[in-house]
Amino acid sequence: IGSHLSLKLLSKGYTVRVLFEDAQGLENGSAVRMSGVKVGEVTDMELTDQHKALVTVRLHRSVRLWDSSKVLIDKGSLLGERFIAIKPVRVGRAGLVQNKAVLQGTVQPQLEDLIPQAFDVLTEFKGLSANINKLTRDEQVMTALKEAVLNISKTAAAISEIAADPRMMNAMRASVDNV
């Protein structure tokens, strides 16, 4: 009875199409949820000429969807049930989405996609750390670094003295005005 009621409510709804870089395992019949509540379902999916996923969803007629809302693919459990999550966001003069509108969807990175990237970042960090260690052991580099920091401190102190002296500031303003 519940699914029959759901289908009956959706038949009186409206259709929106969402363009995703990747459908990430969505299927016809996958849920569309807003704030965790099922408000629609996926009714069709096709591949565009640009190799993107164009997903058609049917939303219940009572759903007010702003054109500034975030539409993304989410995972419902560790088992990987995919669904479309709508984050209702109304920004500025955002309008309501009309029947058959096309929205841009967002694909969230998946943990399995991030692991190789995390490995690459760690490898880069280890290399950077090794280079920093080499530099800090080099006496010439450390001496030059200390001198640079000391010079920056002296320059900042001189600028502070000039800024604190009203006569110097007036003379600088006059010089700038003459240029």
Side-chain angles (χ1 to χ4, degrees), residues 29-42 57-59 63 65 70-72 74-76 81-88:
S30 292
V32 178
R33 299 184 182 280
M34 184 181 286
S35 301
V37 176
K38 185 175 179 182
V39 295
E41 66 183 34
V42 173
V57 299
R58 187 95 180 138
L59 298 174
V63 175
L65 181 60
K70 304 282 184 218
V71 183
L72 48 101
D74 209 343
K75 194 187 300 188
E81 171 207 349
R82 304 282 182 172
F83 64 93
I84 293 180
I86 299 173
K87 309 285 185 195

Side-chain angles (χ1 to χ4, degrees), residues 79-113:
L79 298 177
E81 171 207 349
R82 304 282 182 172
F83 64 93
I84 293 180
I86 299 173
K87 309 285 185 195
V89 177
R90 185 175 183 190
V91 178
R93 296 179 176 242
L96 287 173
V97 171
Q98 300 299 314
N99 189 37
K100 298 186 181 169
V102 178
L103 300 174
Q104 182 62 50
T106 303
V107 175
Q108 291 184 323
Q110 300 300 309
L111 181 59
E112 54 269 16
D113 298 332

